[in-house]
Amino acid sequence: MNSFVHKTLVVQLRAGGTERCPVLAHLSYDAEDPFAVTAVFGHDGRVLARWRLDREMLSDGLTRPVGVGDVRVRPAATGMWHELRLDFLGDYRPDGSRHHAVVFAWAPAIAAFLRETHQIVPPGHEHVPVDELLAEILSGAE
């Protein structure tokens, strides 16, 4: 069985008071890290940002606002599009404000990606082999 899902989507990025511009979002999920989705945003062959997102938070964000701190997710609608809005807060600036970027993704595409991840590891069935990890760490400490 496949334990990895990857999707590339065109999303809209708004940062630093600019208008929206299209960028690629490469979403990946690996059953070895069952709680996380990695999002890599790129443009013209350059990586703009890489974020590890909580899979459950991303799923919940399709229907209601979630998140505190550096990442916040909520549904948004503009016209015929049903969008997912992802707010990313970055490093602090010298004036005390923070860098802020907003990504708008087509919500049905995100939902389809998440459905594929749920086929690999259903919600509530995530497992991290903590006992095995601790045994490995302790065996190397001697």
Side-chain angles (χ1 to χ4, degrees), residues 16-138:
T18 64
E19 295 294 319
R20 291 184 184 196
C21 67
V23 298
L24 292 178
H26 303 279
L27 303 178
S28 59
Y29 176 80
D30 187 345
E32 293 292 318
D33 189 6
F35 295 101
V37 168
T38 300
V40 178
F41 301 100
H43 182 67
D44 285 340
R46 292 189 345 233
V47 172
L48 302 174
R50 179 185 318 265
W51 287 83
R52 286 175 38 91
L53 306 170
D54 179 271
R55 180 175 75 154
E56 183 178 1
M57 185 175 90
L58 194 57
S59 183
D60 289 347
L62 289 167
T63 58
R64 63 183 174 85
V66 294
V68 293
D70 295 344
V71 179
R72 297 171 188 164
V73 184
R74 66 181 166 99
T78 57
M80 294 176 50
W81 292 92
H82 176 63
E83 294 179 313
L84 180 66
R85 177 185 169 133
L86 298 100
D87 285 84
F88 297 98
L89 296 169
D91 295 333
Y92 285 93
R93 295 182 174 127
D95 68 2
S97 67
R98 294 180 76 179
H99 291 277
H100 180 217
V102 181
V103 171
F104 296 92
W106 192 46
I110 300 293
F113 169 79
L114 290 169
R115 278 193 301 277
E116 287 186 53
T117 73
H118 294 161
Q119 290 174 351
I120 294 171
V121 179
H125 290 85
E126 298 90 350
H127 172 71
V128 176
V130 175
D131 292 337
E132 293 89 342
L133 179 62
L134 285 175
E136 183 179 324
I137 291 169
L138 293 174

